[in-house]
Structure formats: C-alpha cells, structure tokens
Amino acid sequence: MRTSIATVSLSGSLTEKLTAASRAGFDGVEIFENDLLASPLTPEEIRARCADLGLTIDLYQPMRDIEAVPEDEFARNLRRARHKFELMDRLGADTVLVCSSVSPLAVDDDALAAEQLGRLADLAQDFGIRVAYEALAWGRHVSTYDHAWHIVETAGHPALGTCLDSFHILSRGSDPKAIEDIPGEKIFFLQLADAPLLAMDVLQWSRHYRCFPGQGGFDVAGLVRSVLHTGYDGPLSLEIFNDVFRQAEAGPTAVDARRSLLVLQETVGIAAPPASVAPTGIAFAELVTPDAEPLSAVLGALGFARTARHRSKPVDLWQQGEARLLVNTGTAVRRDGTGLAAIGLESPDPGAAARRAEALLAPVLPRRRAPEDAQLDAVLAPDGTELFFCATDRPELPNWRADFENLAQAPAPGHAARIDHLALTQPWHHFDEAALFHRSVLGLHAQESVDVADPYGLLRSRAVTTDDGSVRIALTVGAAPTDDTVHAQHIALATDDVVAAARRFAEAGGRLLPIPANYYDDLAARYEFADGELETYRELGILYDRDAHGEFRHCYTPTIGRVFFELVQRDGGYRGYGAQNAPVRLAAQHAARRLTGG
Ligand code: MG
Ligand code: MG
C-alpha cells in the first residue's frame, strides 16, 4: 500500500520535511497548512518540488469550523473554502481534510451539518476536489467516527467521504469494529498515530504525545485490519503531533516513521519483509578507548584475561567464561573517551538477520576489514552502536573469532560467567525509535518503561530482551536533550556468587562504588537477612532487590570514560535490573565523580 506522512510530523522548513519524507521512501505527503503558509515557495513550486522528489500530495489539511452554523456564517465559510480550493488546484492536491467543528457557533443538528457539508462538496467537486470529514475527539458536537460517518452518509454526496484518524478513535475508547460497516470507497483518507496510554485531556494528549504506530499503547494494527476489511485502498498516512519530533532532525524521524509503517504492514499481513531472526546470546561487547591502561586494570581485577589479539587491528579480546569483551584502541576515538561502541549478537542466521535489518531501514555498515578478515554482517542502531550478527565457532559461517590470534596467557579464575545485560544511553530524540528498532529489527521483546530518579534529573529506562534472557539490553534516556552525555553505559556481568566476585575485585586492587550507610539501614527495615549477610553487603557496596520470582544482588565498578561495569547475581528467576536501587547508585556515581573531579 502507498505510504504518506503529514508534514506536521517532521521538523524544519517545508523543503526539509519534503526531502526527509522522500529520502525515507514515502510515496506521498499531507501538506499541513501552516507549513505552506510559512514557506517562501509558491504553491506551483511546492508542487514541482514534490514531483521532483517523487512525492504525491495526498491531502491538504486542515479546514476547520465549517459545518452546522447559521447561514450567514456558512456563506463566509464557503468563501474561505473557495480560496483554499483555488490554492489546492495550484498545488495539485485533490483531497481536503475537514475536521468536525469546535466553533461556539456550531449547533447540534446533524441534518444541517449534512446539508452544509453537501454544499461544500458541491463547490469542491467543481475543482475536482474531494472532502474528507473527520471527527475530532474534542469536536463540539461530532466527536466519534461513527457520528461523522452518519453525517457523511446522510449527505449522500459523491465528493464527500470520511477521514479516519486512529488517534481520535482509539483515544476515546471507541470500538473500531464498526468501521467495517463503512463502504471502503467512502473512506477518503486514513491517518495513523499511536500514543502512550495517559490519563489526561484528550486535546493536550493529541497535540503533544502522539507517536508512530507500535511506539505507544493503542491497537493501531487492529484498527487498520478493520479499515482494510472495507476495501479501502488509499494511503496509510502518519499524522503525528509530538513535542520531541518537533525538535529532532527530520531525516532520522522520517526513517523511524517509515519503519513503523513497514512493521505495521507486516503485522496486518500486507507486507512480508524477511522474517525476524531473534538473537540467541551476546557474542561480545566492544569498547573503544584512547588509553587501554585504566580499562585493562579494571578488567583484570574483574577476572578477565586478555586471551587473544586481532590479526590486523589494535583490538584485544578479554574473556572469562562466556563473557567476551573487545578492547579497541585503534578506531577514531570518541570525544568523551572510553565507551561501548559495538555489540556482537549471536545469531542462528546472521545473513537473514542482516537482510531483515536492511529491509527495516537499518543503515548497513560498510565493511572496513582487511581482505582476510571474516565478512560480518553489521548494521547501525539508532544510538550509533554497531550491531554485528555473529556465528561464534560455527565452521560453516564467517567467524569473528577466527580474526583473533590466541595469546599464551591462561584465563584467570574469575567469577563472571557471561554478560547479563548491557545498558545503552539513547539520544534523547530517539528513545521511542530505539525500542521499536530493537523489537522489530532485532526480534527482542520490549518491557514496560520505568522512570528512575537521578539527583539532577530523571531517567527513563526500558529493557528489550529475548524470552529466555540470553540477550538483555536496557535502553536509558535522560529527561532533557542535555542529559545525553551525563549518564554512562554499562556492562553487567552475571555471577553466581556476587560476594566472592566483589571480594576478588577488591583484593585485586579494584574499588567498588561506595554505597551510603542509610541505604543499608533501609534494607534492614525492609527485609530480614541471615546473620552477617547485610554487614557483608554494607562492607562491599552490594545492593539488594527482590521481586515475585527471586532475588538480585549487584555492585558497581567506578566509571571509566562513559562506561562502568556491574556484577549481578540473579537467583530464583528474578527478572528486573535493580531499578529500585538505581537512584542510590546514580547519587553515589555523582558523588564519586565530584571526588575524582571527573
Ligand atoms: Mg487527523
Ligand atoms: Mg544494570
């Protein structure tokens, strides 16, 4: 099906919006009136620009406060409409959106509304234009889609149809099933938006919190199924009012937008991108650093051994158990120093995983390897992390491990068994995109988003995981654009004895993040511990949490550049990440940073 996007959904000038929509692969646009009014281009120039970019103008919008008004007022409305139809003629747009009136002059009279909309359609027809009547969720007398359809049906005019908007329908809790009773040819347009489930005024909700399908809490796919059932063959068009998108760059937002429609089309069965291939584990995490010394000291104290070196690049493999870390001192070093730059995801079919990622518009990474190196499939996540699809030690497939030459050094007896989870700081503008990306492109499941208090702000965190927990990634974001660089990424290592692992780290010269005594006094009040247990945690800086399934014990290393390590012990099927303890951890990290002047 054709895809379209309203210009209001993207930031920038009209030209920037059109360019971004075209580059992301949209077929058409809805021109939002304010974007046209603010543009220096004439309607003819906008028409030509769209044609050059391969975009059709699928809708001109909005026309407001037209119907069910006194005759003299309606005469003025028709005059206004004639001007807009002349403009649309110059633009080459053949469908106009009329939203249900919010005017205090409008009366509650369906017959009058139908009669006046019919006369508007008469005028539109002279210009070859169709009128799509939409119920605003906050319309004065018409606020539901079935009511708007009833008026359109009563008018019985060939140039008058209805526009369905998933936000207006689902925000009111209307059942979209009755859409199936509308003849498909009378649905002139379909606008799609999702939104997080919030208890707030519907107008404010719509103007500030709409998001792309799959990024909120509405069953947009269910609604689309009902619309497709009618035989509707117009475009799937996104109309998103969102405070964050207004500030984000139009290019990436447009790609995020089109990905959401690709996923939606797959969900409703009208598109079939290459099937999802869920990862089965974390093959490696790659750290880049300008100075390997501080990082090597921490890794050594954690029990990692430097076991191999890349044949052609300054990259070392550090390993213990199934936890593998690559330390890269050779790539262009990030301005902010040491950080997590790449993740190797163990995949049952790396090639298929990469084909799906590419079909869902993930940037494919150019191969920058020596000719003899393994040809790995890799794409870029929205936060810039490189994702490699790996087949470790499967002889029939390119093996990243074969690029490394073993060192003589024997692995030290560490306590970490594998990587438990990775926490990645997301760019502020792309948090919702990141969750949809990891879900749709990588085949992970997104869990609920949680808010975490930081002494100087608020963090949002959302985990994306495989069913069995073999891959767990916590996506985190600050509450404001400036928070991007404040919060560090982390690598959590699974151990079955966090006390022993913490002691080993301390004995090897590592210093765990100190946790305030008040925290332990509170733990003593909340839980009963065996004799001496709490004292051990207090001494080492181990934090404790419990859920319906089990227990969680964890502690933290100091931060190096933008990254720190966590040792975690999960018992009895604990599913969380210690979010309860995160405010204490964040405060302790701020305090440690002040002490070191970092
Ligand atoms: Mg709308
Ligand atoms: Mg963690």
Side-chain angles (χ1 to χ4, degrees):
M1 275 182 102
R2 293 169 41 74
T3 58
S4 189
I5 186 167
T7 53
V8 71
S9 316
L10 301 169
S11 70
S13 68
L14 181 58
T15 311
E16 288 168 328
K17 292 165 188 251
L18 296 176
T19 306
S22 167
R23 286 210 181 126
F26 281 95
D27 303 302
V29 288
E30 302 176 23
I31 300 276
F32 191 64
E33 184 159 85
N34 281 352
D35 287 321
L36 177 127
L37 299 186
S39 174
L41 301 182
T42 65
E44 289 80 5
E45 285 168 338
I46 294 169
R47 177 184 197 154
R49 180 66 60 95
C50 286
D52 286 348
L53 291 168
L55 295 169
T56 53
I57 299 177
D58 296 326
L59 189 76
Y60 184 76
Q61 68 127 322
M63 197 177 273
R64 300 180 189 279
D65 296 334
I66 292 284
E67 79 286 13
V69 289
E71 186 54 36
D72 57 337
E73 179 68 14
F74 184 66
R76 282 190 287 276
N77 291 350
L78 274 186
R79 179 185 165 279
R80 174 159 60 95
R82 175 179 291 278
H83 274 273
K84 297 304 174 186
F85 293 155
E86 285 163 1
L87 166 73
M88 287 175 64
D89 193 43
R90 295 168 65 193
L91 261 184
D94 69 357
T95 307
V96 66
L97 176 82
V98 171
C99 38
S100 62
S101 183
V102 298
S103 166
L105 297 173
V107 293
D108 188 5
D109 183 339
D110 288 356
L112 181 62
E115 189 258 329
Q116 292 182 340
L117 285 171
R119 285 160 64 195
L120 178 75
D122 269 340
L123 178 63
Q125 205 168 25
D126 294 342
F127 289 86
I129 287 171
R130 309 187 308 164
V131 174
Y133 181 55
E134 171 195 70
L136 290 180
W138 54 89
R140 185 162 156 84
H141 302 294
V142 178
S143 57
T144 60
Y145 77 91
D146 44 332
H147 192 177
W149 162 236
H150 169 73
I151 291 170
V152 167
E153 194 178 23
T154 304
H157 195 292
L160 179 66
T162 191
C163 169
L164 299 175
D165 179 318
S166 65
F167 180 88
H168 292 305
I169 296 169
L170 299 173
S171 65
R172 294 191 50 100
S174 297
D175 184 353
K177 200 71 185 163
I179 290 172
E180 296 176 16
D181 300 333
I182 305 175
E185 69 277 8
K186 294 304 278 183
I187 301 173
F188 281 3
F189 212 74
L190 173 62
Q191 292 178 316
L192 299 174
D194 201 343
L197 302 179
L198 301 169
M200 68 185 299
D201 173 71
V202 71
L203 174 69
Q204 297 305 322
W205 191 13
S206 174
R207 294 253 167 99
H208 302 284
Y209 295 96
R210 286 185 180 218
C211 56
F212 296 128
Q215 298 181 352
F218 291 158
D219 181 13
V220 181
L223 180 142
V224 170
R225 281 195 194 93
S226 289
V227 174
L228 293 176
H229 193 265
T230 68
Y232 171 78
D233 65 355
L236 300 175
S237 189
L238 296 166
E239 188 201 31
I240 312 294
F241 306 89
N242 180 295
D243 295 350
V244 174
F245 297 166
R246 282 180 196 279
Q247 298 174 55
E249 258 183 87
T253 305
V255 170
D256 180 25
R258 213 168 83 78
R259 179 179 304 124
S260 79
L261 282 185
L262 289 168
V263 174
L264 179 75
Q265 290 178 85
E266 178 184 38
T267 306
V268 302
I270 56 173
S276 176
V277 184
T280 53
I282 294 174
F284 61 79
E286 179 171 346
L287 296 150
V288 292
T289 184
D291 175 9
E293 278 315 307
L295 193 54
S296 301
V298 168
L299 293 181
L302 283 167
F304 281 89
R306 203 160 64 94
T307 55
R309 173 146 252 255
H310 197 278
R311 291 175 200 278
S312 59
K313 292 187 294 185
V315 180
D316 288 337
L317 169 62
W318 291 73
Q319 186 162 1
Q320 68 172 314
E322 291 298 303
R324 302 179 200 91
L325 301 176
L326 305 183
V327 176
N328 184 340
T329 51
T331 61
V333 166
R334 301 176 67 119
R335 181 169 44 85
D336 41 6
T338 305
L340 185 56
I343 301 172
L345 292 169
E346 205 61 60
S347 176
D349 187 344
R355 283 192 293 280
R356 176 172 177 83
E358 189 174 7
L360 294 182
L361 312 178
V364 175
L365 286 173
R367 304 191 191 274
R368 289 181 276 107
R369 335 203 97 66
E372 67 275 20
D373 290 350
Q375 294 293 304
L376 299 177
D377 293 294
V379 297
L380 211 56
D383 65 354
T385 302
E386 298 182 351
L387 300 172
F388 289 86
F389 299 110
C390 300
T392 306
D393 298 329
R394 273 178 285 157
E396 73 282 11
L397 292 167
N399 183 3
W400 66 275
R401 188 63 182 78
D403 296 341
F404 286 79
E405 205 155 348
N406 288 339
L407 300 173
Q409 200 173 340
H415 291 278
R418 59 187 193 89
I419 292 174
D420 180 88
H421 64 271
L422 300 166
L424 301 175
T425 313
Q426 300 301 303
W428 187 68
H429 295 130
H430 298 288
F431 187 63
D432 289 334
E433 173 185 8
L436 180 63
F437 177 93
H438 285 83
R439 192 158 62 75
S440 64
V441 173
L442 304 183
L444 301 175
H445 301 290
Q447 299 179 357
E448 287 298 301
S449 177
V450 292
D451 289 342
V452 175
D454 174 277
Y456 304 102
L458 191 72
L459 289 181
R460 272 173 77 203
S461 179
R462 189 167 193 190
V464 288
T465 68
T466 53
D467 279 336
D468 63 359
S470 59
V471 175
R472 295 187 181 101
I473 299 173
L475 307 169
T476 65
V477 71
T482 49
D483 285 354
D484 272 9
T485 53
V486 174
H487 300 288
Q489 308 153 317
H490 70 265
I491 297 174
L493 303 164
T495 171
D496 56 13
D497 188 346
V498 74
V499 170
R503 282 204 196 287
R504 185 205 190 281
F505 182 68
E507 282 158 13
R511 291 199 51 217
L512 288 164
L513 184 72
I515 302 298
N518 293 341
Y519 170 78
Y520 295 97
D521 293 343
D522 179 59
L523 270 191
R526 283 159 53 210
Y527 305 114
E528 282 188 50
F529 292 95
D531 276 355
E533 189 180 352
L534 196 57
E535 286 63 37
T536 303
Y537 298 162
R538 192 191 293 263
E539 172 207 333
L540 293 168
I542 292 172
L543 300 125
Y544 178 88
D545 190 29
R546 192 182 280 186
D547 69 7
H549 309 279
E551 295 174 293
F552 192 59
R553 297 169 175 85
H554 56 141
C555 57
Y556 297 94
T557 72
T559 303
I560 303 166
R562 296 187 73 226
V563 72
F564 61 90
F565 298 88
E566 180 182 13
L567 289 162
V568 312
Q569 178 182 343
R570 290 177 189 272
D571 290 301
Y574 175 91
R575 291 185 189 171
Y577 299 84
Q580 169 88 8
N581 297 325
V584 173
R585 185 257 296 171
L586 287 161
Q589 288 175 325
H590 278 290
R593 196 176 305 140
R594 276 195 302 275
L595 273 180
T596 60

